[in-house]
Amino acid sequence: MTMTAVEFDYLRKLVRQRSAIVLEPGKEYLAEARLAALVRQHGAASVQDLVSRLRSEQHGPLHSEVVEAMTTNETLFFRDLQMFDALRTDILPALIQGTGGRRLNIWSAACSSGQEPYSVLMVLREHFPELPPGGVHLLGTDLSTAMLFRCREGRYSQLEVNRGLPARLLVKYFTRQGMYWQVSEELRRAAEFRQLNLDEPWPALPPMDLVLLRNVLIYFDMDTKRSILAKLRRLLRPGAFLILGGAETLLNVDDAFERITFGKATCYQVRAS
């Protein structure tokens, strides 16, 4: 039985309150599909039964599990090759040259199961071997504790490594463990993963040289987008780069950012005052 409009409205408000993600009307089928595993895990009779438990408890771990289940975790290695080409040929060389020997700070926000930060680390290892140990700090954050566990674990299925990861890099940076591939200890040590809700006050973060906030802003309303971007402006070093998803734009969202293109890849910098 499909959930009622009242039940779906409750879910929409819960997800909006906890994550700032906006669920559009008419997406009941999406909610039911994403919550199916939780229905089985908690021994609920249906999605309707699960929502009833949420409403009776008001607060508790089940609420967090539902919100995490409703977030989109689509990702793959080297997603949008044009952007990774720009990182290799233009963005990272410019940033490294401008560090003056200090540490380079990179933030992969809403990093899902970790393919993006590990892809960036492989680019750094392959093309910038002159960087000293500790010369880069890569932070990956996500709302979902389940995704952060996967990031730290660094274990991926054959299907996941088949999506975008060149065979040469698979052999070089992963080891086979049964049905899975394990990221090398070197790469896992090079990344820090922390939970962070973009819509809530951020913890103390170091000034950033590069922020990847890809395919995230599309899930927020305009006020939330502008609030997140305002916080980012205060965090970015002069000359730092912000990278969004390939189909995302800051046009009519935040004119404090200037659009920069490298070939077919687009990124942003804060306009000089």
Side-chain angles (χ1 to χ4, degrees):
M1 182 173 64
T2 302
M3 71 174 66
T4 66
V6 173
E7 290 165 337
F8 184 59
D9 189 54
Y10 172 83
L11 277 179
R12 291 180 65 204
K13 290 178 179 177
L14 174 65
V15 172
R16 175 66 181 85
Q17 180 184 31
R18 295 289 187 92
S19 70
I21 293 173
V22 177
L23 292 178
E24 298 295 338
K27 297 288 188 178
E28 288 88 345
Y29 69 92
L30 178 65
E32 292 180 346
R34 292 190 175 175
L35 294 177
L38 281 181
V39 169
R40 295 190 297 270
Q41 180 181 332
H42 287 273
S46 62
V47 172
Q48 293 82 353
D49 183 25
L50 194 72
V51 173
S52 177
R53 296 185 190 186
L54 288 170
R55 301 183 75 167
S56 64
E57 293 177 5
Q58 297 301 314
H59 300 284
L62 181 59
H63 292 72
S64 298
E65 292 180 54
V66 166
V67 172
E68 290 187 14
M70 291 304 301
T71 59
T72 299
N73 293 307
E74 171 65 17
T75 186
L76 63 153
F77 288 101
F78 295 97
R79 186 177 187 178
D80 299 331
L81 274 175
Q82 293 166 344
M83 188 278 290
F84 278 94
D85 287 341
L87 276 178
R88 173 176 54 82
T89 60
D90 297 283
I91 296 173
L92 287 172
L95 291 175
I96 292 169
Q97 184 177 8
T99 60
R102 65 165 173 79
R103 187 177 71 175
L104 188 69
N105 291 323
I106 301 174
W107 180 16
S108 173
C111 65
S112 188
S113 47
Q115 285 92 322
E116 177 176 274
Y118 285 128
S119 295
V120 173
L121 286 172
M122 282 185 274
V123 170
L124 288 165
R125 293 294 189 275
E126 288 293 297
H127 301 285
F128 304 96
E130 70 275 13
L131 287 172
V136 176
H137 176 245
L138 194 148
L139 173 67
T141 67
D142 202 86
L143 176 68
S144 169
T145 54
M147 288 298 104
L148 291 169
F149 176 81
R150 291 207 61 208
C151 290
R152 297 183 185 110
E153 187 181 41
R155 294 176 74 240
Y156 299 98
S157 68
Q158 187 68 54
L159 176 61
E160 288 172 316
V161 298
N162 283 348
R163 299 183 68 203
L165 184 62
R168 179 179 64 84
L169 298 183
L170 174 64
V171 172
K172 186 172 182 178
Y173 293 104
F174 293 72
T175 56
R176 187 70 179 262
Q177 293 188 348
M179 300 294 292
Y180 294 89
W181 290 89
Q182 174 82 60
V183 177
S184 71
E185 184 179 354
E186 177 199 4
L187 287 191
R188 281 182 283 129
R189 283 201 312 265
E192 176 191 5
F193 294 103
R194 296 164 57 182
Q195 187 176 34
L196 188 144
N197 185 332
L198 290 167
D199 188 45
E200 294 180 352
W202 295 354
L205 297 172
M208 291 294 169
D209 299 287
L210 172 64
V211 175
L212 299 99
L213 185 68
R214 301 201 297 156
N215 307 297
V216 180
L217 294 179
I218 54 176
Y219 297 105
F220 300 137
D221 61 29
M222 187 60 73
D223 287 343
T224 304
K225 291 177 184 179
R226 288 173 173 161
S227 173
I228 291 170
L229 291 167
K231 288 187 283 189
L232 269 178
R233 288 201 306 272
R234 296 191 290 270
L235 192 65
L236 292 170
R237 290 185 185 274
F241 291 92
L242 168 64
I243 298 178
L244 304 180
E248 294 179 299
T249 179
L250 295 186
L251 182 65
N252 299 323
V253 179
D254 191 329
D255 60 8
F257 284 91
E258 177 182 10
R259 184 173 180 266
I260 310 292
T261 59
F262 297 108
K264 295 183 179 181
T266 298
C267 59
Y268 293 87
Q269 288 183 311
V270 177
R271 295 183 187 277
S273 57

